[in-house]
Amino acid sequence: MKQFLSFIRKEFYHIFRDVRTMLILLIIPVILIILFGYAISTEIKSSPIAILDYSRDNVTNRLAEQLQASEYFKLYKTAGSYEEVETLFRQDKIRLAIVFPAQLSGADEPAIQILADATNPNEATALIQYATAIISTSDIVVRNLATEVNQPGVIPAANLLYNPQMKGAYNFVPGVMGLILMLICALMTSVGIVKEKEMGTMEVLLVSPLKPVYIILAKATPYLLLSMVNIATILLLSRFLLDVPVAGNLILLISISILYALVSLCLGLLISTVTHTQQAAMLISGMALMLPVMLLSGMIFPVENMPWILRVLSNIVPAKWYIIAVKNVMIKGLGMAFIWKETGIMLFMILFLIVVSVKRFKIRL
Amino acid sequence: MHVIETDKLTKRFGDFTAVDRISFWVESGEIFGFLGANGAGKTTAMRMFCGLSVPTSGKATVAGYDVYRKSEQIKKHIGYMSQKFSLYGDLKVWENIRLFGGIYGLSSKRLADKTDELLHTLNLENERDTLVDSLPLGWKQKLAFSVAIIHEPTIVFLDEPTGGVDPVTRRQFWELIYDASARGITIFVTTHYMDEAEYCNRISIMVDGRIEALDKPSVLKEMYHAGNMNEVFQSLARKATRGE
């Protein structure tokens, strides 16, 4: 035990004396939160639109007002013709155009045309939904344009659960947690172990009475502790800076974070057994771990919209399951009963990785 | 008592026989030089003695323990200094001493005494709080050696300990080795410097995985009609068929 403690103390010296490591540990979580919180926003706000109105009566005027009044849209221009609308789209001045035909109010089947710039499909879909919702629930439409077809007037009342303001932060805070834990536990651990191999100190350690399993544990422990500090930082930042509170049980949230951190540690260990230089370890961690966390975990791009092969691949990305579990607990406030599948998958991953790494880790080099 | 004893010890990697049926012994307290050209099999043999590598066949005991079954016991009774620098550069001098003392299970009291004694012997009292990285190479090597024997092992393995060190420091380094030997620690050292070979009590010269010669330097010189160890080494190494 004393051997183990003196080794852990050494690890902390390594971490605290290396400026680069300290920067990664302390600054990156804050930067990511601020970056995703303010700069990279997937929310739709004040999208520029054009209105082409051939009717020009009180109904269309009122609708145009209501569209502008919503926080989603901002009138860029009242267009005079289809050609002008097309030009505005081409010049990238507007994301959406609304066309009111002539005699809208008198028509048997009144139809309003909505045009969207679908080069960004997710945004286009959202904008169309917002516009449709505003138009179909508008009082003036209900009063004046109600035809026989929609006379009974089934008005859908949409309710946005868990995240009523549709804040992007609710989606990316769990994502950033997944990213940071992977960065620290996998990348830093693998680099830390490979560094000892590269410097030749690993040989000295293996010749010492210190058991290899203790060497590995001692290398991993500090990073596990520090990653928990980072989780606390992220949760505090998201609570007080971004107004994203923890809706569920905090202990449960921390437990699944530790579980995910262990998966990451095992991945880092595996990487350290197949590489011999720090650069290689960093490259593999970056390409094989960080990139999938960003692309395939659902953090930025919805996995559901991906081709089937990527959907299948996303299942082996631990971050995907962690992020789902965190969202369930942190945002929806659900309990253990709703995340047993994700927890089980992560447990299985740990077992699998430990078996593989132990087989690969050559005690006698 | 023989600190190392081997009988037809062999290590094969596939078709390649790195160490080929070596049989010899090292006596307690002696300075044993383990010589050979690059690729002759020195490092592989040394790794087997340290418990880092399992022999393919043959017998060997180190400090009285069998290398196949008692590698954990062996590790407690040996010291090791590799040709790569084996201390942590971003740790202070005393932190390195405490780390390795801790790993070898020294008590706090003994560790404190050892630290003072060691710093005094090496004249490093003023560098206690210096990061090891900022010490000159010669000092680092001397410190590394002192740390490698901090737990008073039965035998210490030195793998080319003086590589890249200037002649004056090398001389000082060998004084440390003599001190340790006088305290009863057996020294097992590999080197490329033939003048260093002269400092050893006995030396063995490995060629192509086999021990071609083993005796006192003076006897070897006579046997090969050579003026110095370098000539002995050259005439033996010429027989090598293996490349590097």
Side-chain angles (χ1 to χ4, degrees):
Chain A
M1 198 58 202
K2 198 182 160 215
Q3 294 178 321
F4 188 57
L5 287 180
S6 42
F7 202 89
I8 288 187
R9 190 164 43 199
K10 151 192 167 294
E11 288 306 315
F12 275 111
Y13 285 139
H14 287 325
I15 293 167
F16 291 141
R17 288 190 187 156
D18 187 37
V19 182
R20 246 186 340 173
T21 311
M22 284 311 281
L23 277 180
I24 293 179
L25 286 176
L26 298 178
I27 309 295
I28 290 216
V30 179
I31 289 184
L32 279 180
I33 283 285
I34 292 173
L35 202 66
F36 280 94
Y38 296 101
I40 308 172
S41 178
T42 50
E43 292 165 46
I44 289 164
K45 241 183 201 170
S46 315
S47 286
I49 60 165
I51 291 176
L52 176 54
D53 189 352
Y54 288 114
S55 267
R56 296 187 187 281
D57 56 16
N58 59 338
V59 175
T60 57
N61 279 342
R62 174 92 182 112
L63 266 178
E65 270 168 33
Q66 283 174 339
L67 282 167
Q68 289 175 60
S70 102
E71 60 169 351
Y72 306 122
F73 304 116
K74 189 184 77 204
L75 184 66
Y76 177 76
K77 200 170 181 190
T78 308
S81 65
Y82 266 109
E83 287 73 32
E84 198 181 347
V85 170
E86 213 176 308
T87 313
L88 289 172
F89 270 123
R90 279 206 201 123
Q91 291 169 344
D92 215 16
K93 300 285 190 206
I94 54 169
R95 326 291 313 161
L96 194 83
I98 314 264
V99 185
F100 299 120
Q103 281 111 37
L104 178 70
S105 310
D108 289 341
E109 281 178 31
I112 296 168
Q113 187 178 30
I114 302 174
L115 302 163
D117 174 359
T119 46
N120 183 341
N122 290 339
E123 191 198 30
T125 317
L127 284 174
I128 291 174
Q129 277 170 358
Y130 293 146
T132 316
I134 291 170
I135 294 169
S136 64
T137 55
S138 159
D139 52 345
I140 197 131
V141 173
V142 173
R143 242 182 295 123
N144 296 303
L145 296 183
T147 59
E148 272 146 37
V149 185
N150 57 19
Q151 187 63 42
V154 179
I155 300 164
N159 223 341
L160 295 165
L161 294 176
Y162 311 121
N163 182 6
Q165 296 139 297
M166 304 263 293
K167 275 204 259 177
Y170 281 77
N171 183 39
F172 75 76
V173 167
V176 169
M177 286 163 72
L179 197 62
I180 294 288
L181 283 180
M182 187 60 85
L183 179 78
I184 290 168
C185 293
L187 193 146
M188 306 282 267
T189 310
S190 65
V191 170
I193 295 176
V194 172
K195 188 178 178 187
E196 299 243 8
K197 280 208 236 174
E198 214 177 33
M199 304 290 286
T201 43
M202 186 54 102
E203 229 177 30
V204 179
L205 295 175
L206 288 173
V207 172
S208 81
L210 206 56
K211 286 204 173 61
V213 60
Y214 287 128
I215 299 177
I216 298 302
L217 281 178
K219 289 234 82 121
T221 310
Y223 294 111
L224 188 63
L225 291 176
L226 288 169
S227 65
M228 289 304 116
V229 173
N230 277 319
I231 287 297
T233 319
I234 293 173
L235 289 179
L236 286 173
L237 280 175
S238 71
R239 171 73 187 81
F240 294 106
L241 196 68
L242 304 172
D243 286 323
V244 182
V246 177
N249 187 332
L250 191 61
I251 307 279
L252 185 61
L253 183 59
I254 291 174
S255 307
I256 53 175
S257 299
I258 292 177
L259 192 65
Y260 175 68
L262 288 173
V263 180
S264 312
L265 283 174
C266 293
L267 278 169
L269 182 56
L270 188 63
I271 289 174
S272 74
T273 62
V274 296
T275 50
H276 297 283
T277 62
Q278 293 179 67
Q279 277 92 338
M282 229 178 273
L283 205 67
I284 293 186
S285 305
M287 299 300 280
L289 299 181
M290 308 312 283
L291 223 53
V293 172
M294 305 264 256
L295 302 179
L296 290 177
S297 69
M299 175 189 180
I300 299 177
F301 308 105
V303 177
E304 294 78 14
N305 300 350
M306 291 178 185
W308 68 270
I309 183 136
L310 289 182
R311 282 204 306 271
V312 172
L313 262 181
S314 75
N315 289 329
I316 61 165
V317 178
K320 175 186 168 176
W321 304 106
Y322 174 65
I323 290 174
I324 293 175
V326 169
K327 276 186 189 165
N328 282 348
V329 175
M330 187 172 162
I331 310 296
K332 297 189 188 171
L334 300 176
M336 186 65 207
F338 296 88
I339 55 163
W340 62 266
K341 181 180 150 202
E342 287 75 22
T343 324
I345 289 173
M346 285 198 281
L347 270 175
F348 175 77
M349 283 176 168
I350 292 180
L351 282 179
F352 175 77
L353 289 169
I354 285 183
V355 170
V356 176
S357 324
V358 167
K359 269 196 177 164
R360 289 239 25 143
F361 188 79
K362 291 170 200 143
I363 296 170
R364 290 162 188 265
L365 278 173
Chain B
M1 177 203 156
H2 294 161
V3 177
I4 297 181
E5 207 170 328
T6 73
D7 184 21
K8 299 197 186 71
L9 191 69
T10 304
K11 178 75 185 186
R12 270 191 287 272
F13 299 103
D15 290 338
F16 179 73
T17 308
V19 174
D20 193 3
R21 289 164 291 161
I22 57 172
S23 305
F24 70 101
W25 71 87
V26 176
E27 263 169 66
S28 180
E30 83 173 316
I31 301 176
F32 190 87
F34 200 56
L35 275 57
N38 285 338
K42 288 175 303 186
T43 308
T44 310
M46 199 136 122
R47 296 176 78 86
M48 288 192 279
F49 300 143
C50 294
L52 284 178
S53 165
V54 187
T56 312
S57 65
K59 281 188 240 162
T61 60
V62 174
Y65 299 102
D66 185 82
V67 291
Y68 290 96
R69 288 174 288 114
K70 293 282 173 67
S71 63
E72 292 310 308
Q73 283 299 320
I74 290 176
K75 286 178 180 177
K76 281 183 194 158
H77 293 89
I78 60 170
Y80 177 76
M81 182 181 162
S82 74
Q83 52 195 6
K84 284 188 192 173
F85 182 59
S86 48
L87 297 177
Y88 292 96
D90 53 348
L91 261 59
K92 292 172 184 165
V93 170
W94 73 273
E95 287 165 350
N96 265 296
I97 300 174
R98 185 180 58 179
L99 170 67
F100 285 99
I103 286 177
Y104 281 96
L106 265 58
S107 69
S108 309
K109 169 84 179 64
R110 206 164 127 66
L111 189 55
D113 292 345
K114 262 283 178 198
T115 307
D116 291 337
E117 182 195 318
L118 200 154
L119 292 175
H120 179 74
T121 321
L122 294 177
N123 264 327
L124 283 175
E125 278 136 326
N126 296 328
E127 311 294 337
R128 201 185 176 91
D129 289 319
T130 312
L131 291 184
V132 164
D133 260 345
S134 46
L135 291 178
L137 180 65
W139 292 19
K140 284 187 198 171
Q141 294 298 78
K142 284 192 277 181
L143 182 63
F145 175 71
S146 306
V147 169
I149 57 166
I150 194 165
H151 56 297
E152 297 286 325
T154 313
I155 180 169
V156 62
F157 293 91
L158 308 173
D159 194 0
E160 288 169 28
T162 51
V165 176
D166 66 82
V168 178
T169 318
R170 256 167 61 200
R171 182 68 233 180
Q172 291 171 346
F173 191 88
W174 272 88
E175 278 164 19
L176 284 177
I177 292 180
Y178 277 120
D179 283 349
S181 168
R183 290 209 306 274
I185 298 175
T186 309
I187 313 284
F188 189 96
V189 57
T190 73
T191 179
H192 272 139
Y193 299 107
M194 286 307 137
D195 58 326
E196 287 188 349
E198 310 257 7
Y199 303 152
C200 300
N201 298 128
R202 285 196 306 154
I203 56 169
S204 74
I205 297 177
M206 263 184 110
V207 178
D208 289 354
R210 283 186 295 275
I211 291 183
E212 287 291 328
L214 193 163
D215 217 314
K216 293 192 178 83
S218 56
V219 176
L220 285 179
K221 276 186 281 190
E222 212 165 297
M223 204 187 287
Y224 289 89
H225 310 290
N228 56 39
M229 279 313 298
N230 196 33
E231 288 172 28
V232 175
F233 187 78
Q234 292 303 334
S235 64
L236 278 167
R238 222 173 285 138
K239 294 191 210 162
T241 51
R242 257 186 220 168
E244 291 212 345

